């Protein structure tokens, strides 16, 4: 294991771990100590939003693990590694730095194994649970009213399933024996619903005879989900809480993953823009605003935010 923690625009990201190594760290350290842990799946949007939200930045920087979820974060580290080796006194430094970043784009395929996404973690931890019995709770995602009927489905009793519940059903079929003790999307991510949400989870734990939740997956979109976890992780209790963004939507098929063409050419951002044009502001935040801001930050002599 060769983890390297690095700050990208002042936001800590832990590089160098595969999904398997993350699981090993979880089992050997996080599940065996007396602390409650937060794992952040940090992507360019996290980093950009953290520039204007100190509370969010602090949550990421103090998390037990901040994994790089997004090829843009990997590129950022590679770019900073190259820039640090350049002579800043050279009058051509800005041009050299710029083209160093451009050239990195041609090596994108070799960086993909360094990414650890929320979807990857949900899948890997569900598989691990099916083998070891770790308890899991799925929280968040879009509720019944926010999702078209065509995406909902029903359980064996004919009850409508919200996104988190449907995702749990899919993972139970994929990994028989997975210990998902409960799931719900019916509560609001705001603090006004905290007490009701926590009580719901505690009631499920009591029904299942579970004294602690080993893994709590929270899908309230970045920033909201991390703040929800900070407010409530000690009340449940949850041993490891992970903000997983749109992972439940991907699992149930509401959102499709980019095809090989887009992946191989590092054009996932374009795929999402085509499929979800209403996310225009979020897409351009990750590209091109994130690399532009990163590049401009390297033009300062101190460059404190990039170290």
């Amino acid at each position: 294991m060769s983890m390297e923690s690095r700050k990208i625009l002042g936001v800590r990201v832990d590089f160098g771990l595969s999904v398997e190594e993350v699981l090993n760290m979880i089992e050997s350290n996080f599940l065996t100590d007396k602390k409650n842990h937060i794992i952040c799946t940090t992507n360019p949007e996290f980093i950009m939003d953290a520039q204007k939200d100190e509370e969010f930045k602090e949550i990421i920087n103090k998390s037990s693990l901040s994994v790089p979820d997004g090829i843009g974060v990997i590129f950022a580290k590679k770019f900073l590694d190259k820039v640090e080796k350049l002579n800043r006194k050279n009058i051509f430094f800005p041009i050299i730095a710029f083209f160093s970043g451009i050239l990195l784009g041609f090596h994108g395929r070799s960086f993909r194994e360094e990414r650890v996404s929320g979807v990857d973690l949900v899948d890997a931890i569900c598989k691990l649970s099916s083998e070891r019995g770790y308890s899991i709770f799925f929280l968040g995602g879009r509720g019944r009213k926010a999702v078209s009927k065509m995406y909902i489905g029903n359980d064996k009793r004919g009850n409508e399933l919200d996104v988190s519940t449907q995702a749990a059903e899919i993972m139970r079929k994929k990994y028989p024996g997975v210990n998902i003790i409960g799931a719900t999307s019916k509560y609001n991510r705001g603090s006004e619903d905290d007490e009701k949400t926590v009580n719901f989870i505690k009631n499920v734990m009591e029904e299942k005879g579970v004294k602690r939740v080993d893994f709590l997956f929270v899908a309230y979109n970045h920033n909201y989900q991390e703040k929800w976890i900070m407010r409530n992780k000690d009340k449940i209790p949850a041993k490891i809480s992970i903000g997983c963004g749109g992972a439940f939507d991907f699992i149930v098929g509401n959102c499709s993953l980019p095809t090989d063409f887009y992946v191989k050419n590092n054009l996932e951002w374009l795929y999402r823009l085509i499929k979800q044009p209403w996310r225009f502001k979020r897409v351009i935040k990750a590209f091109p605003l994130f690399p532009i801001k990163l590049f401009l930050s390297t033009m300062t002599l101190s460059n404190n935010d990039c170290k």
Side-chain angles (χ1 to χ4, degrees):
M1 186 181 298
S2 56
M3 185 178 79
E4 177 186 355
S5 296
R6 182 71 180 269
K7 284 195 173 181
I8 308 295
L9 296 175
V11 178
R12 192 191 100 240
V13 185
D14 302 316
F15 297 94
L17 298 176
S18 65
V19 173
E20 182 177 344
E21 288 170 328
V22 170
L23 295 184
N24 289 338
M25 179 181 289
I26 286 171
E27 286 200 285
S28 61
N29 298 325
F30 299 170
L31 287 173
T32 57
D33 63 20
K34 296 181 179 180
K35 301 177 181 178
N36 291 345
H37 297 272
I38 295 178
I39 296 178
C40 293
T41 53
T42 307
N43 62 29
E45 284 186 72
F46 278 59
I47 295 173
M48 290 295 284
D49 285 353
Q51 303 307 300
K52 298 180 180 180
D53 190 332
E54 286 298 322
E55 180 186 358
F56 183 41
K57 180 189 290 187
E58 185 176 9
I59 292 172
I60 301 172
N61 288 344
K62 291 185 177 181
S63 65
S64 297
L65 195 62
S66 170
V67 295
D69 181 356
I71 195 66
V73 181
I74 307 296
F75 274 119
K77 177 185 180 299
K78 303 291 184 182
F79 174 68
L80 293 178
D81 288 344
K82 282 188 171 293
V83 167
E84 284 184 353
K85 297 176 183 179
L86 298 177
N87 180 5
R88 291 180 175 276
K89 295 181 179 180
N90 189 325
I91 61 173
F92 297 109
F93 169 76
I95 298 174
I96 297 172
F98 176 79
F99 282 103
S100 294
I102 296 297
L103 289 174
L104 278 173
F106 294 102
H107 300 283
R109 298 181 188 181
S110 62
F111 302 157
R112 301 206 163 274
E113 293 183 359
E114 301 178 46
R115 175 182 176 181
V116 180
S117 72
V119 177
D120 292 336
L121 283 180
V122 172
D123 187 84
I125 288 172
C126 283
K127 182 176 185 296
L128 186 66
S129 170
S130 70
E131 300 167 349
R132 308 287 176 84
Y134 297 128
S135 59
I136 300 173
F137 195 97
F138 282 6
L139 175 66
R142 291 177 289 176
R144 290 193 296 267
K145 294 181 180 179
V147 185
S148 169
K149 294 284 186 179
M150 65 181 292
Y151 292 132
I152 297 298
N154 301 290
D155 64 14
K156 294 179 180 179
R157 298 179 180 179
N159 298 315
E160 288 185 344
L161 303 175
D162 56 27
V163 169
S164 62
T165 308
Q166 191 176 6
E169 288 298 315
I170 290 172
M171 298 313 288
R172 289 186 183 109
K173 292 177 181 177
K174 184 175 183 179
Y175 298 116
V178 62
N179 188 21
I180 301 176
I181 64 169
T184 184
S185 303
K186 68 181 181 179
Y187 296 106
N188 190 285
R189 64 193 181 188
S191 58
E192 66 274 9
D193 266 11
D194 283 0
E195 185 177 355
K196 289 184 288 187
T197 309
V198 170
N199 287 339
F200 179 87
I201 296 173
K202 284 184 174 180
N203 288 337
V204 172
M205 292 172 65
E206 185 175 353
E207 290 174 6
K208 301 289 185 178
V210 174
K211 294 184 178 180
R212 78 173 189 185
V213 175
D214 293 313
F215 295 96
L216 173 64
F217 287 107
V218 183
Y220 283 144
N221 289 333
H222 72 281
N223 193 324
Y224 295 100
Q225 61 197 17
E226 283 73 29
K227 290 179 180 180
W228 190 96
I229 289 170
M230 281 301 297
R231 294 196 307 268
N232 298 290
K233 68 183 179 68
D234 295 325
K235 301 174 185 176
I236 297 173
K239 188 62 180 170
I240 300 171
S241 300
I242 305 174
C244 60
F248 299 162
D249 280 318
F250 281 111
I251 290 171
V252 304
N254 290 356
C255 299
S256 59
L257 293 171
T259 61
D260 288 343
F261 169 81
Y262 292 94
V263 172
K264 290 179 180 179
N265 291 284
N266 300 315
L267 295 172
E268 289 100 329
W269 62 271
L270 179 59
Y271 179 86
R272 293 189 180 94
L273 187 59
I274 293 172
K275 291 291 185 178
Q276 299 175 315
W278 60 88
R279 296 184 62 185
F280 175 75
K281 290 184 178 180
R282 292 186 59 179
V283 172
I284 65 170
K285 190 183 295 181
F287 184 87
L289 295 184
F290 172 64
I292 289 173
K293 187 171 183 64
L294 182 72
F295 172 75
L296 292 176
S297 75
T298 64
M299 296 301 104
T300 62
L301 289 175
S302 62
N303 199 22
N304 289 328
D305 286 340
C306 297
K307 293 182 180 179

